[in-house]
Amino acid sequence: MNEPSDVKQQFDSFFADRSATSKGRVFVLDLSPVKDVLGDRWEKLKQQVYLTTSDVVLHRIQPTDIHCRWDDERYLVAFGALDQARGRIKISLIAQEITQRLLGSTDQDKAIKISMATTDENGEFSWDKDAAPSKLAVEKTLPKAPIKNEQTKEKPDAVGRDGIDFVFRPLWFVKNKIISSYFCIPVRDKGDGHFLSGYDILNDPQDPHAITALDLLTMKRIHKEALALEDTKMPALLAVPIHFESIASGGRRSTLIDQCKKNLGPHRNKIVIELTNLPEGIPQSRLQDFIQILKPFSRSVMARFSSGHRDFAGFKHVGLHAVGIDLYGDRREESKIIQSLEGFVENASKLGLHTYAHGVRSISLTTAAICAGIDYVDGYAISDVHEGARDIKHYSIRMPYASKYSADEPSHE
Amino acid sequence: MVKILVIDDEELARFTIREVLESKGYSVLEAGDGEKGIEIFHSEHIDLIITDIIMPKKEGVETIIELRKEAPDLKIIAISGGGRTRNLDFLKLAGEYGANKVIAKPFSATDLLSAVQECLE
């Protein structure tokens, strides 16, 4: 931990440059839920907790950001070049990763809490060198992210763009031990450090126009990210979800195709499309239609199903590269999830399909997924793919343990 | 009496191992996952731990890493069938992270007892 005067100097400098806009950029990570879970073991294990926390923060911040451990249970992180909305996303992802690495799959009430540090009545961030940590002014909870309540049937507004952002989950090709692609996931900040994703971010999840609008927004984000990647020469692929509702109806489909041409076509070799929300029992011929529509804009097409899905007959022949599941919102006991993994993979792989799993949120699920034979497993979400440029692209089965337990490497290879 | 903790999410596996060990006079405790196993370790005096790898909540390699930090001299045997793919890489990793012995499932009672006896010597 830095000496207080060094930290004061860093934060003084930070706010001197940006005092007019500093509010909403200093976040507090509260580790007290971890302390509560560990109980008597906190004193023995807290150095490991700090190591893991610092590792995650250092890995995620940019040179324009600063951070420090404020006291026994709190870290401060200040983002120098992000607006409040992006800062909220980033700090939430940081908190999620720290929580998952320390506590594995856990309930939200046990997750690390985040809050914003505020300024005083003069609008200045005051810093008292001798102040006790408890005197740091914090808002107890993050103010709720703006959520647009109205929704129209006009495509650009139907999704309520305010508050929607995107995160990227790296997908690890287990056999080759590399990160192969980054899945773009639209999210909405709930205001408590957690995200809504998928249909949950829509005001009306049943509205097909809203779903299509969401897909179009996502494609625009992918386009932007692909352009940034071209500048960096990174070899990563980008995966974009397209919902069944966007492609099933003739009218929405033609709008979708126009946007695919504009946003995906120029980057075809870097794009993987994931079809989502396909109805159970979708005929092979229908799936083939969809794949033929989307294939010109991508290097491959994958499709997401429920973990209970078993009938994959003919899917390989119609051009589907992989089938997958999303465990992010699956709150069943891990033992039940592990059981369903094996059945899913067995049925898919015997028909020649690759398999992938999103939202694999613990080491126990990662191990089970790999031993079940899942080909692609995802990792911790990041806010921009170029942030992943600092990640090791090679990724082996040791990485989750090395990440969670920091410096504890095995004694020999 | 030597006390052995068996950590495996499969009830039948725990039952079988218990039968073998108790027939030789060992006292056996059981846990269905690594989290529960570590909890029992903290509340009982355990001489040896036999842990599976693929388990919910906290799998075997994690369990071994955490136990090793707290008890460097604890005897640990890792067992695993490797799942659907018979992937034994995690068993190998368990050895590297501190398991004294690793045994691939299925194993015989003789193999298990030999490993236990070697660890306890």
Side-chain angles (χ1 to χ4, degrees):
Chain A
M1 180 181 172
N2 287 332
E3 290 299 317
S5 58
D6 294 337
V7 179
K8 176 183 183 309
Q9 205 170 11
Q10 284 180 20
F11 275 89
D12 275 349
S13 172
F14 177 82
F15 288 110
D17 290 340
R18 303 175 185 82
S19 57
T21 56
S22 62
K23 184 172 178 177
R25 286 174 163 183
V26 182
F27 295 93
V28 181
L29 289 167
D30 182 355
L31 303 180
S32 58
V34 178
K35 184 178 180 182
D36 291 340
V37 168
L38 292 177
D40 294 340
R41 295 185 293 155
W42 168 256
E43 285 304 318
K44 201 192 299 188
L45 295 177
K46 69 180 181 183
Q47 293 305 321
Q48 183 61 50
V49 171
Y50 298 152
L51 266 176
T52 299
T53 303
S54 294
D55 185 57
V56 174
V57 171
L58 281 167
H59 203 68
R60 296 258 192 173
I61 60 174
Q62 301 292 325
T64 47
D65 306 330
I66 53 175
H67 81 289
C68 71
R69 181 162 65 85
W70 180 248
D71 61 20
D72 212 39
E73 295 172 20
R74 289 186 293 188
Y75 277 73
L76 298 187
V77 181
F79 297 113
L82 296 180
D83 59 27
Q84 188 189 124
R86 296 290 289 162
R88 290 159 68 100
I89 295 278
K90 196 146 185 176
I91 198 68
S92 297
L93 292 176
I94 289 172
Q96 279 183 17
E97 183 177 350
I98 296 170
T99 302
Q100 284 182 9
R101 279 168 59 165
L102 290 173
L103 302 178
S105 300
T106 190
D107 300 325
Q108 284 193 2
D109 61 348
K110 290 183 189 161
I112 286 165
K113 293 184 252 199
I114 55 179
S115 52
M116 279 195 291
T118 61
T119 53
D120 64 18
E121 62 272 16
N122 297 318
E124 297 290 330
F125 187 89
S126 61
W127 187 284
D128 183 348
K129 184 183 165 186
D130 298 319
S134 57
K135 288 190 182 174
L136 178 69
V138 292
E139 290 186 13
K140 289 213 165 77
T141 57
L142 289 178
K144 287 203 178 302
I147 294 178
K148 190 171 177 180
N149 290 319
E150 291 182 6
Q151 188 174 293
T152 70
K153 295 235 162 138
E154 293 172 14
K155 288 182 276 293
D157 297 320
V159 73
R161 274 189 279 187
D162 291 349
I164 288 186
D165 211 312
F166 299 89
V167 299
F168 293 86
R169 295 191 78 105
L171 212 59
W172 162 32
F173 186 19
V174 177
K175 180 179 159 191
N176 288 3
K177 303 186 175 82
I178 58 167
I179 301 239
S180 68
S181 51
Y182 291 84
F183 258 96
C184 183
I185 300 171
V187 296
R188 192 190 287 279
D189 188 357
K190 280 169 67 180
D192 58 358
H194 295 93
F195 299 114
L196 298 170
S197 65
Y199 292 117
D200 291 339
I201 69 176
L202 300 173
N203 291 334
D204 180 1
Q206 304 298 322
D207 181 354
H209 296 281
I211 294 168
T212 301
L214 181 63
D215 284 349
L216 301 184
L217 260 181
T218 308
M219 271 194 256
K220 283 184 184 165
R221 181 71 174 92
I222 285 285
H223 174 60
K224 181 181 159 194
E225 203 65 37
L227 289 173
L229 282 183
E230 275 163 24
D231 290 341
T232 65
K233 310 293 178 206
M234 268 184 73
L237 304 178
L238 297 170
V240 54
I242 289 180
H243 292 80
F244 169 77
E245 290 85 346
S246 299
I247 197 168
S249 113
R252 290 192 291 278
R253 183 189 304 169
S254 52
T255 305
L256 180 82
I257 291 171
D258 286 341
Q259 287 298 315
C260 284
K261 280 181 192 160
K262 187 175 159 194
N263 290 315
L264 303 185
H267 318 288
R268 180 180 180 267
N269 285 339
K270 279 199 169 296
I271 300 295
V272 173
I273 291 178
E274 183 199 32
L275 280 164
T276 74
N277 205 43
L278 295 171
E280 285 294 323
I282 182 171
Q284 182 183 324
S285 57
R286 193 100 151 103
L287 185 61
Q288 185 172 16
D289 285 342
F290 295 162
I291 294 170
Q292 283 180 346
I293 290 166
L294 297 172
K295 199 67 174 71
F297 311 111
S298 61
R299 64 188 287 139
S300 63
V301 179
M302 312 205 282
R304 192 192 308 176
F305 294 93
S306 71
S307 60
H309 192 98
R310 296 290 180 263
D311 184 9
F312 301 109
F315 286 6
K316 176 78 177 172
H317 294 302
V318 301
L320 203 60
H321 172 67
V323 293
I325 53 177
D326 185 358
L327 300 178
Y328 187 72
D330 191 336
R331 292 297 156 203
R332 291 179 294 163
E333 286 182 12
E334 284 200 354
S335 55
K336 296 276 186 287
I337 296 174
I338 290 170
Q339 279 170 16
S340 63
L341 275 175
E342 296 238 335
F344 185 91
V345 178
E346 180 162 2
N347 282 271
S349 60
K350 72 185 177 195
L351 294 170
L353 288 161
H354 284 85
T355 50
Y356 64 92
H358 286 311
V360 185
R361 56 183 187 268
S362 69
I363 291 182
S364 44
L365 285 177
T366 303
T367 303
I370 292 167
C371 292
I374 295 267
D375 296 295
Y376 303 92
V377 177
D378 77 353
Y380 297 112
I382 54 177
S383 53
D384 300 276
V385 177
H386 68 263
E387 185 183 318
R390 291 184 297 155
D391 279 336
I392 300 168
K393 293 184 190 59
H394 294 280
Y395 202 92
S396 71
I397 63 169
R398 298 167 191 283
M399 291 298 289
Y401 306 104
S403 292
K404 182 169 180 178
Y405 298 100
S406 292
D408 294 286
E409 284 292 330
S411 53
H412 60 273
E413 291 294 317
Chain B
M1 183 186 285
V2 172
K3 200 178 281 186
I4 299 177
L5 171 61
V6 177
I7 310 175
D8 196 314
D9 59 325
E10 288 179 35
E11 205 171 313
L12 192 58
R14 295 199 308 268
F15 175 78
T16 308
I17 293 172
R18 172 190 277 276
E19 292 254 297
V20 168
L21 295 175
E22 283 182 343
S23 72
K24 295 296 177 185
Y26 298 113
S27 168
V28 178
L29 296 175
E30 293 180 31
D33 57 66
E35 210 168 83
K36 187 70 185 169
I38 290 177
E39 210 177 288
I40 292 174
F41 174 73
H42 286 143
S43 60
E44 302 273 345
H45 175 77
I46 303 290
D47 297 293
L48 183 146
I49 291 182
I50 299 172
T51 179
D52 190 21
I53 298 295
I54 305 171
M55 293 186 288
K57 292 191 188 173
K58 194 182 292 287
E59 45 92 280
V61 177
E62 284 190 274
T63 303
I64 290 167
I65 291 172
E66 292 188 23
L67 287 170
R68 269 286 162 257
K69 270 194 225 167
E70 296 189 38
D73 296 328
L74 175 67
K75 301 301 179 190
I76 303 174
I77 298 173
I79 59 177
S80 181
R84 192 187 74 86
T85 58
R86 302 282 304 152
N87 184 329
L88 298 180
D89 288 344
F90 288 95
L91 203 57
K92 182 169 173 262
L93 204 60
E96 292 171 14
Y97 270 116
N100 300 95
K101 296 269 177 205
V102 301
I103 314 176
K105 289 177 178 176
F107 48 80
S108 65
T110 310
D111 289 340
L112 176 64
L113 288 168
S114 297
V116 168
Q117 279 155 13
E118 282 174 34
C119 281
L120 292 173
E121 275 168 8

